[in-house]
Amino acid sequence: MKNIDRWVIGASFSFCVARQPNLVFVRLSRDSVLDDSLLEWLRTRAQSTRLKPSQVCFQLSEELVLQQLKQSKALAEKLRENGFLFAVDHLGTGRDSTQLLGHLPMQFVKVDGSLMQGLHRDKDRQKKVGDIAARARELKIKTSAERVENANTMAVLWQLGIAFVQGNFTQTHGVVLGEEMYLHSQADAAKWATPSGALLPVGQSHHQANHFNITEHVGAQAIAAAALTGKRRARVTLQSLTLYKDH
């Protein structure tokens, strides 16, 4: 998984340099969190590609952070020292999600999509999301809600103080990478990546978006694995590798 992570990171760096998005999120696996050589590799890669580190936000799931709290905190601090951003996603599934915000230096937190289901009529979920939003504001952490699927949910999130949303309601689903493509290099992934949505400020339309998203492992793993195993042609229909560019 470490090699796949690095392939995805390299493709994301190439995309940033070529397309200059405001921000790209890249999820890391457990192997990368435990990889002592990752930071030096990131520094070398960023220098060689002339990447602006502030264009990349590395993210870990809440579950992984709780499993590897010491290592996750150390990684977040080193990323910040090197100019990268850090985020925790799927927050809200643990017992002490709000407390976790104060334990790691982060610039973004993404509230788990499971809390969005029926949010507009579930007071307990509204309280949990509201507590996360309030604590994040205190710590100057930007908040995003995952898997937002309707206007009712978006309206509640606005009232609760969530800053950004992503999900079916805010984006057009579709094939992100061409169904048939040659994967000769990391640059090929960036070449084929096309916008299919955005991380939107609550209350704005798609055309007003100014923050962008993400390489997610579900899709990125399939792409990277094809390249790493030397397959010349890969038939890929994905919605999870999303590299969104400014309008």
Side-chain angles (χ1 to χ4, degrees):
M1 185 62 79
K2 180 181 79 172
N3 290 336
I4 292 177
D5 277 6
R6 291 195 178 191
W7 193 96
V8 172
I9 293 168
S12 300
F13 283 14
S14 296
F15 174 83
C16 287
V17 173
R19 302 284 294 277
Q20 292 299 310
N22 287 355
L23 187 61
V24 170
F25 290 80
V26 182
R27 178 179 290 173
L28 297 177
S29 69
R30 178 180 180 276
D31 288 351
S32 287
V33 173
L34 301 178
D35 179 10
D36 292 334
S37 66
L38 176 64
L39 264 297
E40 183 59 35
W41 184 86
L42 288 175
R43 281 193 292 266
T44 301
R45 189 79 189 185
Q47 290 171 2
S48 66
T49 58
R50 298 186 178 180
L51 172 84
K52 299 175 185 176
S54 60
Q55 288 180 300
V56 178
C57 183
F58 291 99
Q59 62 186 33
L60 301 178
S61 68
E62 178 186 26
E63 180 181 13
L64 177 56
V65 169
L66 292 175
Q67 291 173 352
Q68 306 291 339
L69 184 58
K70 180 179 178 180
Q71 293 87 344
S72 297
K73 182 177 181 181
L75 176 61
E77 291 172 346
K78 291 176 183 177
L79 288 170
R80 181 177 60 180
E81 291 170 3
N82 286 275
F84 296 101
L85 305 185
F86 181 75
V88 174
D89 67 357
H90 302 326
L91 193 84
T93 57
R95 297 180 62 181
D96 299 315
S97 298
T98 304
Q99 294 184 18
L100 184 63
L101 295 175
H103 287 299
L104 288 84
M106 67 184 80
Q107 288 70 50
F108 285 87
V109 62
K110 297 183 178 183
V111 183
D112 190 69
S114 64
L115 295 174
M116 303 304 114
Q117 312 309 305
L119 179 69
H120 63 285
R121 57 179 180 271
D122 191 319
K123 297 299 182 182
D124 290 338
R125 291 187 179 186
Q126 290 177 25
K127 183 181 186 308
K128 189 166 190 175
V129 174
D131 289 345
I132 292 172
R135 180 58 175 155
R137 281 196 303 274
E138 292 175 3
L139 298 171
K140 301 187 186 310
I141 299 170
K142 296 180 177 67
T143 52
S144 174
E146 303 171 338
R147 288 164 47 193
V148 176
E149 298 181 353
N150 56 65
N152 289 335
T153 301
M154 182 179 283
V156 173
L157 292 170
W158 181 79
Q159 294 173 345
L160 295 175
I162 296 294
F164 297 94
V165 294
Q166 61 184 115
N168 292 346
F169 187 67
T170 66
Q171 70 184 49
T172 301
H173 266 267
V175 176
V176 175
L177 300 179
E179 286 191 356
E180 291 189 2
M181 63 183 181
Y182 289 101
L183 292 173
H184 292 162
S185 67
Q186 293 165 350
D188 286 342
K191 174 183 176 182
W192 281 96
T194 58
S196 69
L199 181 66
L200 296 181
V202 174
Q204 288 194 16
S205 70
H206 176 77
H207 296 292
Q208 295 171 303
N210 60 7
H211 280 71
F212 306 90
N213 223 19
I214 297 173
T215 58
E216 297 283 8
H217 260 314
V218 173
Q221 180 176 351
I223 300 163
L228 290 171
T229 56
K231 293 181 180 178
R232 288 176 53 82
R233 183 180 292 270
R235 182 176 292 275
V236 185
T237 303
L238 297 173
Q239 297 173 348
S240 51
L241 176 60
T242 51
L243 299 169
Y244 301 142
K245 188 182 185 300
D246 200 354
H247 291 283

